[in-house]
Each structure stands twice: as structure tokens, then as C-alpha cells.
Amino acid sequence: MNHRLEIGPSVPRRRNRFLYWLGAGILRVAGWRVDVRLPDMPKFIVIAAPHTSNWDFVFGMAAILLLQVRIDWFGKHSLFEGPLAGMFRALGGHPVNRSSAGGVVGQAVTAFREREQLVLALAPEGTRSRREQWKRGFYHMAHEASVPVAVAYLDYGRRCVGIGPVFRTTGDWATDMRPVFAFYRGITPRHPDHFAVEDL
């Protein structure tokens, strides 16, 4: 499988040969490849779409293990209550704490301000079901923390996990997101009828 991996030296890493081979093995068996170019950035947000199937998490996490990039992500609290809670935490997962001051956006902004390196991954659709309008939490996080946004994708047509455009927010959702949604229109989800982008 021909992967393309270009990662800047400032990007936080988590090097583990077992996890690397685990991720590579999952992708090889499934016939997927990774096409990721990450610029030299110590802090940024990754938005991942389309999110229409539980397989998105499997292939996305396999790609992260292959990349050996240290990525944090928020998940629903129920993920962290079962027997796999420890594994999810070890893989960068954090249960959402909606009762904290400032909510999830506040938690993320505080983390970006306190840490020298942080990559935070989010699924802006927020659900595997069709959602006509995306949640804007990631946008507010990026804008308040003054960090860029990398556009990640899972393309079932090409069996590829990759990174597309990287942009900085201006505060104008429509202007900033119009090219992002245009990019995602060229990506094939596992369940196309569950995926929608906004017509800005």
C-alpha cells in the first residue's frame, strides 16, 4: 500500500512501533491508504468528515496510529464508562464535559493556551445521521484559540484517509467554509445519503 506521509517537525508525535504496525495492518487488510501532508504546526484543529459509519472511527484511528501523531479528541461520555475506556483514553480520547465553565469550546481554548503542542480532532457533523447544518464548535475553538484548521477526509471511493486544505478562521463562517464544503463534495462517504454539506 503506497502511503504518502509528510509531517512537519513541530507536529506532536506519539511513537510506538506496536501501534504503528497495528494501524498499518488494519489499513493493509482493508485496502486503504493514507495521504497526509501536515505543515510545521505545533497546534491546530483537525475536522474529520464525512462521518456516516462506525467504520470511520476504525479507519481514522488506524491512520493516526500509522502517522504516529499525538491527536486528542472528544467523545461521548458513554465511551469512557465501559471496558474499553482505558484504551480510548490512551489513544487520546477525552469525555465531553458539558457542565464545565465555557463548555467544550472553553475546555479546548484553555487547553490550547496552556499547552505548547496540541492537535485536536473533531467530527463537525456530530452524528452519523444526515445533518443539514454542521456544528460550529470547532470553528469557535479555532477562532478563539487562534489556531489553524486542517480538513481531514475519509474517501470510501478511493479508500483513502487524507488531509486536504488547511485554513485560518476570519470570523466569517460562510466565507471560510465555502471552499471547505466544496472540497467535501468531491469525497465519497460510506453512506452518501447520510452526508450533507451546507449550501453557502
Side-chain angles (χ1 to χ4, degrees):
M1 192 61 58
N2 296 321
H3 302 296
R4 178 164 61 173
L5 314 175
E6 299 177 17
I7 304 171
S10 294
V11 176
R13 308 299 295 271
R14 177 187 285 119
R15 300 186 188 277
N16 182 298
R17 289 190 64 81
F18 171 76
L19 294 179
Y20 170 84
W21 288 112
L22 176 62
I26 292 171
L27 294 168
R28 183 175 60 254
V29 169
W32 279 64
R33 65 186 180 90
V34 174
D35 184 2
V36 166
R37 285 164 288 176
L38 287 174
D40 191 13
M41 303 182 298
K43 301 181 185 183
F44 57 96
I45 286 174
V46 177
I47 56 171
H51 181 39
T52 65
S53 164
N54 284 329
W55 284 105
D56 302 336
F57 180 84
V58 175
F59 297 134
M61 185 56 66
I64 291 171
L65 298 181
L66 175 76
L67 290 167
Q68 299 188 85
V69 172
R70 190 172 72 246
I71 295 182
D72 288 56
W73 48 277
F74 289 123
K76 55 186 179 181
H77 67 277
S78 58
L79 284 176
F80 302 91
E81 295 175 348
L84 298 179
M87 181 189 72
F88 288 136
R89 290 181 186 275
L91 293 174
H94 302 274
V96 172
N97 182 4
R98 301 185 186 280
S99 64
S100 69
V104 179
V105 171
Q107 291 176 66
V109 172
T110 297
F112 275 113
R113 290 173 178 167
E114 292 179 346
R115 292 169 59 173
E116 294 184 2
Q117 291 182 311
L118 176 61
V119 178
L120 181 61
L122 300 160
E125 295 161 271
T127 175
R128 295 187 305 276
S129 303
R130 186 180 180 89
R131 185 182 181 92
E132 300 299 331
Q133 291 187 321
W134 286 14
K135 293 185 175 182
R136 300 190 182 188
F138 79 89
Y139 188 88
H140 297 306
M141 292 173 189
H143 198 64
E144 291 183 33
S146 297
V147 297
V149 178
V151 177
Y153 63 87
L154 295 100
D155 191 329
Y156 284 78
R158 295 184 293 134
R159 293 197 174 191
C160 181
V161 180
I163 296 287
V166 178
F167 70 98
R168 286 189 176 272
T169 60
T170 65
D172 185 333
W173 168 266
T175 298
D176 293 343
M177 292 300 295
R178 194 173 290 117
V180 174
F181 289 139
F183 174 81
Y184 277 122
R185 288 189 183 96
I187 303 300
T188 303
R190 181 173 175 83
H191 300 295
D193 55 323
H194 292 181
F195 182 59
V197 295
E198 296 181 36
D199 187 14
L200 300 176

